[in-house]
Amino acid sequence: MLILLPPSEGKTAPAAGAPAEPAELWLPRLAPARRRVLSKLVALCRRTSARGVADSLAVLGLSAAQHAEVARNAGLATAPAAPAAQVYSGVLYEALAPAGLAPPARAWVDERAVVFSGLWGVLRLTDRIPAYRCSVGVSLPVLGGLTAYWKKALSPALDRAAADGPVLDLRSGAYAAMWAPSGALAGRTATVRVLHERIVGGEPRRSVVSHFNKATKGRLVRSLAEAGARPASVDELLAALRDLKYTAEERPVAAGRPRQVDVIVREL
C-alpha cells in the first residue's frame, strides 16, 4: 500500500547536515528532473536586485514580508538537509507525529508514505531535504508550470511503484494533479475527503474545514500505523478505518475512477 500525502508549507530548517542529493531520494530515476527544478529555483532566487527579489516573490506567490524565504531558496544547493519527517512541520505532520511512533509503527509509515513536492516531485519521509519554499502551483522560468512538469515526469515511475495497490490518497487538489492513478489502479485507490459535521438548527451540516482536514488525515495515518494495518484492497482499507472508529462513507463514482471516501469529523 502507498499513502499519498501533500507536503507542508510550514518547515523546520535543519541546523546542520550535508546538502540533499537528488539521486539519493526515493525513485532516483527522477534525479535529473529534480536537479532541473532545483537549478531554476535557485537561479530565480539568487537575483539580489530590488527588481529581482520582487520578481521572485511574485513567482513564488509570497508577500514582501516573506523575502527571507527567497534568500533561503537561493542557498538550497548547499543548505543543510534532514529527513523530511523532521522538516515538514504543518498541521498534518504534527498530528502524524512520526518521531513519537514506536519503531514498528514508524517503519510502517516510512515504508508506505509518499510526499508530493513542487521541488522534489515525490519523497519518502526518510529522504533528506532542506527547508524550501516552492509550491506545485509555481511556474518557473524555462520549465513552466510545475504541475505539468511533474505530471509528465512522475507518471512512468509512479505507475510502476503503485501498481499493486491499494493506494490511500490524502493529497490536496493541487498536489493530486501531479499524478493520478489510472486504469486498473484507479479502482484500487481510495481518495479521502474530510468533512466537519456540526448541528445547525437541529440539522447536521457538513463542510470542508482546512484545520480539521489536515489534522484528521495525520491522525488517520498514525492510527493505521499503530494498528500495523496491511489491507490488500480498498475494501479492506475501509474496514480497517472503521475498525479504528473512523466514520468512512463512500460516495458513488463513475467506473474507472478512484473510489471517493468521506471521513466525517463530528463536532462534540
Side-chain angles (χ1 to χ4, degrees), residues 111-181:
E111 290 169 8
R112 291 165 177 80
V114 175
V115 182
F116 281 67
S117 162
L119 174 55
W120 307 109
V122 286
L123 300 163
R124 292 294 202 181
L125 289 175
T126 51
D127 286 341
R128 297 175 59 261
I129 59 171
Y132 64 93
R133 191 63 174 259
C134 183
S135 73
V136 75
V138 163
S139 182
L140 290 176
V142 181
L143 292 185
L146 291 180
T147 300
Y149 177 87
W150 283 119
K151 188 172 184 178
K152 181 178 180 180
L154 291 178
S155 290
L158 280 180
D159 287 349
R160 186 175 297 109
D164 294 335
V167 174
L168 177 59
D169 191 350
L170 302 177
R171 297 172 294 171
S172 54
Y175 290 93
M178 293 172 67
W179 175 75

Side-chain angles (χ1 to χ4, degrees), residues 149-242:
Y149 177 87
W150 283 119
K151 188 172 184 178
K152 181 178 180 180
L154 291 178
S155 290
L158 280 180
D159 287 349
R160 186 175 297 109
D164 294 335
V167 174
L168 177 59
D169 191 350
L170 302 177
R171 297 172 294 171
S172 54
Y175 290 93
M178 293 172 67
W179 175 75
S182 60
L185 182 59
R188 297 196 294 273
T189 299
T191 299
V192 169
R193 177 178 68 170
V194 176
L195 297 179
H196 176 223
E197 181 178 283
R198 58 196 180 97
I199 303 301
V200 178
E203 298 291 330
R205 301 283 179 85
R206 293 177 177 179
S207 61
V208 176
V209 179
S210 180
H211 179 84
F212 284 100
N213 176 58
K214 294 173 182 178
T216 300
K217 287 177 177 178
R219 287 193 293 268
L220 185 152
V221 176
R222 185 180 181 90
S223 296
L224 289 170
E226 291 176 331
R230 282 174 166 73
S233 66
V234 170
D235 287 336
E236 290 185 12
L237 173 58
L238 296 181
L241 290 176
R242 289 163 183 153

